[in-house]
Amino acid sequence: MADGRRPDDRGPGADYCVFALMEGLLEKLKLLDYEKVLAKHIRNLSRHYFGSSCHVLSKQFYLFAIIAAWLINKAGRPFPQPLKHDEPNAIAFNILAELQAFGVQVDFPPSKLKSGSGVHVCFVLDRLAGEALKRTGFAFRRPKYPAESPEVEAVVEDDAALTLSKVEAIQPTEDDDVLDTVNLQSTHPEPQPSTTAGDISESSVDAAEWNLEVERGLTQLNVTTRSDKKQWRIYLDQMHQHNDQIKCLMEDSKRYLARQQEDTSKALEKFSSKKKYISQKLEPLIQEYLSVQARLHEEQERYEQANARVMEKRQELTEISDEVMKIKQEIDVRNMTDGAPVARIRCSLTRLRQEVVQMDEKIGIVQHLLLQATLKEKPDMI
């Protein structure tokens, strides 16, 4: 997996290697008939499903975990099928542990698999699919190409186009496809002139047969003449004619393009004016929207802070509840139904009440003595 190179040392096509790896993985899954086994989980797996991330990451990771578990079981190692509420880190760690058990070196953490897509996910599934194919006895072999004998291309001359020199050299009897006028005359003799002066000579040749003979001979009558070096004047005249035609068409095109430019400029002006008008009308609403969005952001921050405090208080409440449960358990273990401590407490309360009464008496005596001493020192007050 790791080749010791930094990301800067990779080629420009390194980002697309994951899609090629995914296509190879899909071919291996098809060889294992994953459509039949995983029909209730997978309908149709695309060629680039695990190559790029989708909007629902949890669904993509769950599908990756299901396929990985199936491949591990297919390769001969027991692996429980993961559930949707299982911890993703634990699932990824167990899958990498099974992959290492097959002898595959892994140099990335399990957190790379939590997204459910990317080169690491495709690498893990590809290696597990390879191990499953080995378990089933399947092995890729080199293709055998059939031996082909070298073919000699025959050069076929095109006799349809004949030059003037060839036409002069060819005799009518050399080719059977040439219009056979001699046989035609022998087959259809010319009519003898009528002895009657008023009779009109008519041919007895069939028109349909004559047309067929003409069509058969027309293929051999395509004659090409050699180009003459003195025809440059003709080409020059043609160039002037084409130039004049281009100028006429250019004028029409310029007028059409000018009209289109004018219409486009008017449309752009209308669009810009409408844009300014809409911007002016929507400016207060945009400002209000921005202010509301800012307040919403502040409220969200306060909500997150309050939620964090609530979570802390819940944690403290849980800890206190645990301590209370422990104390209750200790009280239950000590069996507080014994009445001796209660009796001792009652005795102690009785003694405290008696001591309080005695203290009140002593306080009264002291107050009386103090009052008498005060009266003795000030006799005028009597």
Side-chain angles (χ1 to χ4, degrees):
M1 178 63 187
D3 51 1
R5 296 182 300 178
R6 296 175 300 175
D8 298 338
D9 299 334
R10 300 184 304 169
D15 295 334
Y16 301 95
C17 292
V18 62
F19 299 109
L21 186 61
M22 178 59 202
E23 290 184 0
L25 168 63
L26 185 59
E27 295 298 329
K28 293 180 181 179
L29 292 177
K30 289 180 179 179
L31 292 173
L32 294 170
D33 293 333
Y34 79 99
E35 299 96 338
K36 298 179 181 179
V37 180
L38 303 177
K40 62 180 180 180
H41 301 288
I42 307 172
R43 291 185 178 180
N44 189 10
L45 194 64
S46 62
R47 296 187 303 167
H48 308 309
Y49 184 78
F50 292 112
S52 58
S53 61
C54 64
H55 297 288
V56 186
L57 298 180
S58 59
K59 180 179 179 181
Q60 197 170 15
F61 177 77
Y62 178 63
L63 186 58
F64 156 72
I66 289 175
I67 296 176
W70 175 68
L71 290 174
I72 293 171
N73 291 319
K74 194 77 173 178
R77 295 183 62 86
F79 192 85
Q81 184 176 2
L83 302 176
K84 290 185 177 180
H85 61 270
D86 290 345
E87 180 65 25
N89 291 323
I91 296 174
F93 180 79
N94 294 332
I95 291 173
L96 288 183
E98 294 293 335
L99 185 63
Q100 291 176 352
F102 287 114
V104 180
Q105 297 294 330
V106 178
D107 58 351
F108 54 88
S111 59
K112 294 290 185 179
L113 305 177
K114 290 178 63 178
S115 62
S117 63
V119 64
H120 302 92
V121 172
C122 294
F123 170 76
V124 171
L125 293 178
D126 183 71
R127 292 303 176 90
L128 291 177
E131 295 295 332
L133 288 174
K134 290 180 182 179
R135 179 73 177 182
T136 57
F138 180 84
F140 289 97
R141 295 187 297 271
R142 293 183 177 273
K144 296 181 180 180
Y145 301 100
E148 297 180 357
S149 59
E151 297 181 357
V152 180
E153 296 182 357
V155 179
V156 180
E157 295 182 357
D158 189 5
D159 294 336
L162 303 177
T163 59
L164 289 176
S165 59
K166 290 184 179 181
V167 171
E168 295 175 355
I170 295 176
Q171 297 295 332
T173 58
E174 292 179 356
D175 194 354
D176 295 336
D177 293 333
V178 180
L179 184 61
D180 192 358
T181 57
V182 178
N183 295 331
L184 187 61
Q185 291 177 359
S186 61
T187 305
H188 304 283
E190 294 183 6
Q192 297 295 329
S194 179
T195 56
T196 307
D199 295 338
I200 300 173
S201 61
E202 294 181 358
S203 177
S204 60
V205 179
D206 189 5
E209 188 176 355
W210 177 265
N211 290 329
L212 290 175
E213 189 69 23
V214 170
E215 290 178 359
R216 188 174 64 87
L218 284 177
T219 58
Q220 305 295 330
L221 297 178
N222 187 8
V223 180
T224 57
T225 59
R226 296 179 180 178
S227 60
D228 191 2
K229 296 181 180 179
K230 295 181 180 180
Q231 291 182 354
W232 61 271
R233 293 184 179 86
I234 299 174
Y235 297 150
L236 182 60
D237 295 337
Q238 291 179 356
M239 289 173 62
H240 287 300
Q241 292 176 2
H242 293 319
N243 189 18
D244 296 336
Q245 293 177 1
I246 290 172
K247 287 181 179 179
C248 295
L249 295 175
M250 184 65 71
E251 293 177 358
D252 296 337
S253 300
K254 284 182 178 179
R255 287 194 297 269
Y256 177 75
L257 292 175
R259 188 166 59 253
Q260 291 293 331
Q261 184 179 5
E262 184 178 358
D263 296 340
T264 305
S265 61
K266 290 180 181 179
L268 288 175
E269 290 177 359
K270 290 181 181 179
F271 176 75
S272 60
S273 62
K274 289 289 184 181
K275 183 179 178 182
K276 291 180 181 178
Y277 175 75
I278 293 172
S279 300
Q280 292 175 359
K281 290 293 183 181
L282 295 179
E283 186 66 26
L285 296 176
I286 293 173
Q287 295 296 331
E288 184 179 358
Y289 171 74
L290 293 176
S291 61
V292 171
Q293 190 176 12
R295 290 198 299 272
L296 176 62
H297 184 66
E298 293 176 358
E299 293 295 334
Q300 286 179 351
E301 289 182 353
R302 285 199 291 270
Y303 169 75
E304 290 177 358
Q305 294 175 0
N307 192 16
R309 290 195 296 270
V310 169
M311 293 301 294
E312 292 177 358
K313 295 298 182 182
R314 286 181 179 177
Q315 186 68 25
E316 293 178 1
L317 177 61
T318 303
E319 294 177 357
I320 293 172
S321 300
D322 295 338
E323 292 179 359
V324 170
M325 291 299 296
K326 290 180 181 179
I327 293 172
K328 286 182 178 180
Q329 291 176 0
E330 291 177 359
I331 291 174
D332 293 337
V333 171
R334 290 180 181 180
N335 193 4
M336 297 298 293
T337 58
D338 189 7
V342 178
R344 288 195 296 270
I345 291 172
R346 288 178 181 177
C347 293
S348 299
L349 291 174
T350 304
R351 286 196 302 271
L352 287 173
R353 291 192 187 98
Q354 293 176 358
E355 290 178 358
V356 168
V357 171
Q358 293 176 2
M359 290 297 295
D360 291 337
E361 292 177 354
K362 291 180 180 180
I363 290 170
I365 293 170
V366 172
Q367 289 179 350
H368 180 70
L369 294 174
L370 182 61
L371 180 60
Q372 288 181 355
T374 304
L375 292 175
K376 289 179 181 180
E377 290 178 357
K378 297 180 179 180
D380 296 336
M381 297 177 62
I382 299 174

